[in-house]
């Protein structure tokens, strides 16, 4: 990807240490955990991809305040909502410039055409650019926005109107999410004319605080500060470098040596030593996240001709009640995790405190397997993430512990893993068996958990269980199209009970988020959504 544009940079810790970037006040190196699959936020659903694109290169119509969940104006300065809740009119910011790079020089500022291109590309498969570059938009479709947005109209250069089929109580929050990042229609037209539409995902152009320079997979991403940014006070870094470092212990060593100034996902065992280092600081906050096991409920997993045991409710119940969560919390999270019972964190409004876990009961689990006709020694696959995420500091260890738990009830779990991008791609295609995965909330709305992860619209996206249950789906759709918070809460509580009864997943833990950094880093804010933003951040000498 973009090999012809790569500038050899940060190859190895030694070279990084010898560069001026580790020391200069206007430069910052971020030791990130993985390579992005690309730079078109609409195509992806993971924080790794969004950190490298939406949080750096792009803006959205509405945005979340840095470090918080409140929605604030972005590329739209304001918006009006009709009395029936079906029409949203956005007033666009004037004078916003798209990035100038060696591969694109804009001739005009951001306007309504860019908003229309961004959303029509996701809505209309017959749009010329979409036909030339056939791409799916999993987040957009997972949330049913492809069905609910009936029209996007340009009223004038700086006014756009969205018309919805049904009320979406979280519409403004949804448009603040990474996938809704605004693309340049002029750049897209240039790529279409040149027959290079895929470059939209490899050579990105946005309006955001940082300009893309170069990417070398599994090595580094290089950005420069956007000197023409519409909020100039937010750009305090001249050069931002993502040093891709998958190993947590290596990330922490680089941080200690000042080879990077900010990193993420320390191993639980590293937390106290890092706190003791006088050159480092370790802000933390309760994670708005969930680590869980998704059970693929398809009759046969993709690529297999064998019946899938997890298609049976009794098998899922057996697997669920034989997971020793307390032991996993102790060994994997080491004091930095809270036992999870529901499919959302307790801090999410509408969380139902009356729901309880099935008791840990391996003997009853064996009986359920027997009733389901599942023989002792039956093999399933257990997919384990290759990277650390905010919701799971050590998926390999968790998988090994689950493997041991399930062996005690006669289930033989074969642990499977792939490179992160491949892991997500294959599991969205339905190849996974039981799967370790998780979620950090994106917008503070219950639908972002229940709809995005378990709704029927999300079966080809983030619904890794491939579970489409009409009673559940009817409840969450009704809740989403209701403006009254009390009614929404009641519907979401009913949906949580239905999900708990049908066991498409086993919640494991909500983890505390720790963000190690050098004491020289100023005004970095931990995102409740598990993202890493560097606008507004500076590095002192």
């Amino acid at each position: 990807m973009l090999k012809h544009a790569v500038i050899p940079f940060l190859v190895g810790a030694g070279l990084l240490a010898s560069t001026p970037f580790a020391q200069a006040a206007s430069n910052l190196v971020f030791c990130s955990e993985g390579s992005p699959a690309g730079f078109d936020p609409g195509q992806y659903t993971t924080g790794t991809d969004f950190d490298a694109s939406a949080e750096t290169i792009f803006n959205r119509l509405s945005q979340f305040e840095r470090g918080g969940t409140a929605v604030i104006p972005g590329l739209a300065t304001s918006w009006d909502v009709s009395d029936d809740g079906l029409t949203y009119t956005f007033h666009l910011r004037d004078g916003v410039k798209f990035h100038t790079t060696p591969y694109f020089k804009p001739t005009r500022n951001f306007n309504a055409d860019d908003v229309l291109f961004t959303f029509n590309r996701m809505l209309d498969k017959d749009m010329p650019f979409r036909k030339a570059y056939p791409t799916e938009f999993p987040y957009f479709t997972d949330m049913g926005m492809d069905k609910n947005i009936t029209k996007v109209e340009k009223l004038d250069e700086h006014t756009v109107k969205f018309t919805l089929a049904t009320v979406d109580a979280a519409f403004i929050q949804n448009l603040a999410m990474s996938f809704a990042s605004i693309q340049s229609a002029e750049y897209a037209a240039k790529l279409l004319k040149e027959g290079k539409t895929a470059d939209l995902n490899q050579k990105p152009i946005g309006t955001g605080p940082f300009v893309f320079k170069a990417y070398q997979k599994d090595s580094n991403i290089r950005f420069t500060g956007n000197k023409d940014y519409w909020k100039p006070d937010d750009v305090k870094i001249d050069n931002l470098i993502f040093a891709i470092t998958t190993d947590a212990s290596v990330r922490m060593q680089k941080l200690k040596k000042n080879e990077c100034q900010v990193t993420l996902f320390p191993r639980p065992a590293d937390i106290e030593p890092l706190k003791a280092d006088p050159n480092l600081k370790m802000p933390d906050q309760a994670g708005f996240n969930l680590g869980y096991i998704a059970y693929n409920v398809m009759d046969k997993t993709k690529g297999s001709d064998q019946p899938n045991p997890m298609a049976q409710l009794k098998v899922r119940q057996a697997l669920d009640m034989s997971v020793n969560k307390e032991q996993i919390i102790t060994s994997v999270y080491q004091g930095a995790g809270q036992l999870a019972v529901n499919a959302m964190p307790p801090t999410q409004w509408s969380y139902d405190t009356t729901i309880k876990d099935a008791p840990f009961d391996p003997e009853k689990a064996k009986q359920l397997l027997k009733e389901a006709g599942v023989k002792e020694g039956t093999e399933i696959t257990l997919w384990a993430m290759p990277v650390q995420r905010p919701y799971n500091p050590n998926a390999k260890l968790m998988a090994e512990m689950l493997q041991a738990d399930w062996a005690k009830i006669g289930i033989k779990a074969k642990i499977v893993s792939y490179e992160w991008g491949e892991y997500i791609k294959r599991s969205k295609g339905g190849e996974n068996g039981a799967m370790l995965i998780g979620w950090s909330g994106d917008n503070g709305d219950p639908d972002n958990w229940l709809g995005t992860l378990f709704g029927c619209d999300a079966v080809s996206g983030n619904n890794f269980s491939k579970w489409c249950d009409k009673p559940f789906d009817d409840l969450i759709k009704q809740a989403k199209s209701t403006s009254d918070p009390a009614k929404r809460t009641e519907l979401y509580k009913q949906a949580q009970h239905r999900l708990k009864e049908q066991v498409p997943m086993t919640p494991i833990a909500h983890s505390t988020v720790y963000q190690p950094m050098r004491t020289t880093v100023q005004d970095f804010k931990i995102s409740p959504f598990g993202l890493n933003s560097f606008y507004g951040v500076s590095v002192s000498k």
Side-chain angles (χ1 to χ4, degrees), residues 37 39 42 60 97 117 176 178 188 190 193 212 221 238 285 316 329 341 355 390 422 428 431 447 456 473 511:
F39 296 90
R60 289 148 292 288
K97 298 179 185 297
F117 168 77
S178 299
K190 174 180 181 285
K193 185 177 179 180
F212 175 81
I221 316 169
D238 291 325
Q285 68 182 30
R316 301 195 300 272
I329 299 290
V341 175
I355 293 175
E422 194 71 11
K428 284 183 177 178
E431 294 181 33
D447 182 73
C456 294
D473 211 57
S511 69

Side-chain angles (χ1 to χ4, degrees), residues 14 29 36 74 102 105 132 141-142 149 179 181 212 216 240 281 284 293 305 315-316 373 380 405 439 454 459 469 512:
V29 179
K105 291 180 174 56
T141 53
D142 284 4
I149 298 175
F179 76 90
S181 294
F212 175 81
Q216 187 168 14
L240 173 64
K281 53 186 175 183
D284 66 84
I293 309 164
D305 57 2
V315 174
R316 301 195 300 272
I380 64 171
D405 285 343
W439 194 250
F454 303 106
V459 162
D469 179 75
T512 304

Side-chain angles (χ1 to χ4, degrees), residues 239-505:
N239 294 280
L240 173 64
I241 302 98
F242 282 30
I244 299 163
T245 314
T246 56
D247 188 296
S249 60
V250 175
R251 287 199 299 272
M252 300 314 138
Q253 287 305 313
K254 285 185 174 183
L255 183 71
K256 289 179 180 178
K257 294 176 182 178
N258 200 23
E259 293 174 9
C260 58
Q261 288 75 53
V262 180
T263 189
L264 71 181
F265 311 150
R267 297 177 305 177
D270 288 335
I271 290 170
E272 290 309 316
L274 289 169
K275 283 182 176 178
D277 189 322
N279 295 311
L280 304 179
K281 53 186 175 183
M282 182 96 84
D284 66 84
Q285 68 182 30
F288 192 55
N289 61 38
L290 169 69
Y292 64 96
I293 309 164
Y295 302 115
N296 187 334
V297 305
M298 295 166 66
D299 290 337
K300 293 179 180 179
T301 59
K302 187 179 177 183
S304 172
D305 57 2
Q306 297 300 312
N308 174 20
M310 288 175 290
Q312 297 189 64
L313 174 59
K314 286 184 177 180
V315 174
R316 301 195 300 272
Q317 289 172 325
L319 294 172
D320 177 78
M321 67 178 58
S322 56
V323 174
N324 191 332
K325 288 190 188 181
E326 296 284 2
Q327 202 169 70
I328 288 174
I329 299 290
T330 300
S331 300
V332 175
Y333 293 86
Q334 297 184 26
Q338 173 189 351
L339 189 144
V341 175
N342 260 353
M344 57 171 71
T347 49
Q348 173 63 64
W349 65 267
S350 82
Y351 180 92
D352 193 327
T353 56
T354 67
I355 293 175
K356 307 297 178 190
D357 270 340
F360 175 66
D361 193 342
E363 291 307 312
K364 185 177 179 183
K366 289 179 187 176
Q367 181 61 35
L368 285 169
L369 291 174
K370 188 175 179 181
E371 291 172 13
V374 174
K375 296 178 181 178
E376 187 169 345
T378 292
E379 184 174 291
I380 64 171
T381 58
L382 170 58
W383 286 39
M385 299 175 302
V387 295
Q388 287 177 291
R389 300 302 300 146
Y391 46 75
N392 191 332
N394 193 336
K396 182 175 183 291
L397 175 58
M398 188 184 291
E400 289 166 353
M401 295 180 74
L402 290 170
Q403 186 182 51
D405 285 343
W406 290 341
K408 292 170 186 171
I409 62 169
I411 294 292
K412 186 178 179 183
K414 178 186 176 185
I415 298 174
V416 173
S417 192
Y418 295 95
E419 180 270 331
W420 182 228
E422 194 71 11
Y423 185 86
I424 295 295
K425 181 181 175 182
R426 286 174 178 262
S427 51
K428 284 183 177 178
E431 294 181 33
N432 58 297
M435 175 186 179
L436 294 184
I437 193 65
W439 194 250
S440 293
D442 281 315
N443 66 7
D445 194 86
D447 182 73
N448 187 239
W449 301 91
L450 301 181
T452 302
L453 302 181
F454 303 106
C456 294
D457 288 337
V459 162
S460 297
N462 290 310
N463 184 343
F464 296 109
S465 303
K466 308 302 175 191
W467 180 68
C468 178
D469 179 75
K470 191 174 187 306
F472 174 85
D473 211 57
D474 287 348
L475 286 166
I476 61 169
K477 279 190 164 63
Q478 189 181 345
K480 190 177 180 182
S481 62
T482 303
S483 298
D484 184 339
K487 289 179 182 175
R488 294 189 78 204
T489 295
E490 181 54 37
L491 290 163
Y492 284 129
K493 285 185 174 182
Q494 292 177 41
Q496 289 168 67
H497 279 276
R498 178 67 183 174
L499 187 141
K500 195 68 174 178
E501 291 163 6
Q502 294 299 306
V503 203
M505 53 86 77

Side-chain angles (χ1 to χ4, degrees), residues 24-249:
S26 59
N27 301 281
L28 187 146
V29 179
F30 169 52
C31 280
S32 63
E33 85 289 8
S35 294
F39 296 90
D40 175 4
Q43 294 190 41
Y44 304 110
T45 61
T46 78
T48 305
D49 299 302
F50 294 153
D51 282 352
S53 57
E55 292 303 301
T56 48
I57 301 164
F58 293 98
N59 295 121
R60 289 148 292 288
L61 293 175
S62 55
Q63 296 190 177
F64 293 108
E65 65 178 0
R66 196 161 57 95
T69 59
V71 178
I72 59 175
L75 292 178
T77 56
S78 63
W79 43 85
D80 307 314
V81 186
S82 61
D83 291 341
D84 62 5
L86 296 178
T87 302
Y88 287 75
T89 304
F90 290 88
H91 306 284
L92 307 183
R93 192 176 297 278
D94 197 7
V96 176
K97 298 179 185 297
F98 278 100
H99 299 159
T100 296
T101 69
Y103 51 88
F104 179 66
K105 291 180 174 56
T107 65
R108 63 163 178 82
N109 290 342
F110 158 74
N111 67 27
D113 292 333
D114 305 304
V115 179
L116 264 62
F117 168 77
T118 298
F119 288 94
N120 285 331
R121 181 173 68 118
M122 296 191 276
L123 287 166
D124 183 6
K125 291 187 177 182
D126 292 325
M127 179 189 185
F129 192 94
R130 176 83 173 267
K131 290 180 80 171
Y133 181 42
T135 303
E136 296 304 316
F137 301 97
Y139 230 137
F140 190 70
T141 53
D142 284 4
M143 300 172 77
M145 295 180 82
D146 58 325
K147 298 183 182 74
N148 199 32
I149 298 175
T150 61
K151 196 163 37 174
V152 186
E153 300 171 88
K154 172 183 175 179
L155 302 186
D156 60 42
E157 288 295 299
H158 291 97
T159 316
V160 175
K161 184 169 80 171
F162 286 73
T163 303
L164 308 184
T166 59
V167 171
D168 181 350
F171 189 65
I172 294 295
Q173 291 98 305
N174 293 343
L175 291 190
M177 291 164 60
S178 299
F179 76 90
S181 294
I182 301 298
Q183 299 277 357
S184 164
E186 184 186 16
Y187 180 49
K190 174 180 181 285
L191 295 179
L192 183 61
K193 185 177 179 180
E194 295 171 353
K196 297 179 179 178
T197 49
D199 277 3
L200 195 81
N201 194 29
Q202 298 175 330
K203 299 179 177 180
I205 292 290
T207 58
F210 296 97
V211 181
F212 175 81
K213 298 300 286 186
Y215 172 46
Q216 187 168 14
K217 189 175 181 182
D218 299 329
S219 176
N220 66 84
I221 316 169
R222 194 174 179 189
F223 308 90
T224 58
N226 179 7
K227 301 302 182 187
D228 293 321
Y229 192 48
W230 52 274
K231 288 182 74 177
D233 290 346
D234 274 359
V235 181
K236 300 176 180 178
I237 298 169
D238 291 325
N239 294 280
L240 173 64
I241 302 98
F242 282 30
I244 299 163
T245 314
T246 56
D247 188 296
S249 60

Side-chain angles (χ1 to χ4, degrees), residues 508-520:
I508 300 292
H510 312 290
S511 69
T512 304
V513 175
Y514 291 92
Q515 191 95 39
M517 64 188 73
R518 303 290 298 184
T519 55
T520 51

